[in-house]
Amino acid sequence: MNPRRCAVYPGTFDPITNGHQDLIRRAAGIFDRVVIGIAANPGKAPLFTVEERVALSREVLAELRNVTVFGYSGLTVDFAREQGCGIVIRGLRAMSDFEFEFQLANMSRHLARDIDYVFLTPQEQFTFISSTLVREIALMGGDVSEFVHPAVAAALQGRKKA
Ligand SMILES: Nc1ncnc2c1ncn2[C@@H]1O[C@H](COP(=O)(O)OP(=O)(O)OP(=O)(O)O)[C@@H](O)[C@H]1O
Ligand SMILES: [Mg+2]
């Protein structure tokens, strides 16, 4: 496949939210193949293991035929090359995301000139959703069913009792 037709969407996805899903649907309509890369990211001390995050994301994205989900560790640009993808997708919710994403994209370009970053914005009702907020609300007993797939809400519920 032409690497320009294949996009990697990297993130922690701890857990996957309706905001991530909105971006993935958009990307799946633009590119021939979309690979969700779930970064192990031990530095972020995730709530769910990388295996759990991959399994949840696969369940949530099951009906999208051109989307696949893998865990990875190491550099995102190396993961993209391994997958044969020349594009990396990132999301912009607000100006507050811009500075970090801009820096990351420029650093990446220095590491890998063959990979380009493409930024997508979600529909406005998803702009305030982050995995961090969803985790905090769920663990304090709040209702997150508006922000995540039912399978994710159930997994968060299970984590609360654990
Ligand atoms: N609601 C959303 N709308 C659009 N883009 C999003 C949304 N949530 C996350 N993203 C983007 O998805 C990519 C991966 O994000 P990540 O997995 O860190 O999610 P997050 O919600 O930011 O999680 P955390 O709160 O743990 O940082 C980033 O580019 C981020 O900007
Ligand atoms: Mg984030």
Side-chain angles (χ1 to χ4, degrees), residues 66-131:
N66 60 340
V67 174
T68 51
V69 183
F70 296 107
Y72 77 101
S73 49
L75 292 176
T76 298
V77 290
D78 289 339
F79 175 70
R81 281 174 176 153
E82 272 165 35
Q83 292 293 326
C85 297
I87 306 290
V88 173
I89 294 200
R90 295 286 288 177
L92 293 174
R93 283 164 286 201
M95 281 309 290
S96 51
D97 277 335
F98 179 80
E99 214 169 325
F100 175 67
E101 295 293 342
F102 188 68
Q103 185 185 19
L104 198 66
N106 282 314
M107 178 57 85
S108 266
R109 184 167 287 157
H110 277 272
L111 296 175
R113 297 204 160 270
D114 51 322
I115 309 272
D116 272 306
Y117 273 58
V118 169
F119 297 93
L120 295 175
T121 56
Q123 205 179 312
E124 54 275 26
Q125 80 236 45
F126 301 119
T127 50
F128 59 89
I129 303 177
S130 74
S131 295

Side-chain angles (χ1 to χ4, degrees), residues 16-19 126 128-129 134 137 143-149:
I16 187 167
T17 68
N18 291 346
F126 301 119
F128 59 89
I129 303 177
V134 163
I137 293 165
D143 178 13
V144 293
S145 57
E146 239 186 284
F147 315 126
V148 296
H149 186 278

Side-chain angles (χ1 to χ4, degrees), residues 1 12 21 24 52 55 106 108 110 112 122 124 135-136 146 157:
M1 180 184 292
T12 315
Q21 273 192 78
I24 293 163
E52 289 168 331
N106 282 314
S108 266
H110 277 272
E124 54 275 26
R135 282 195 310 273
E136 282 179 7
E146 239 186 284
Q157 184 70 22

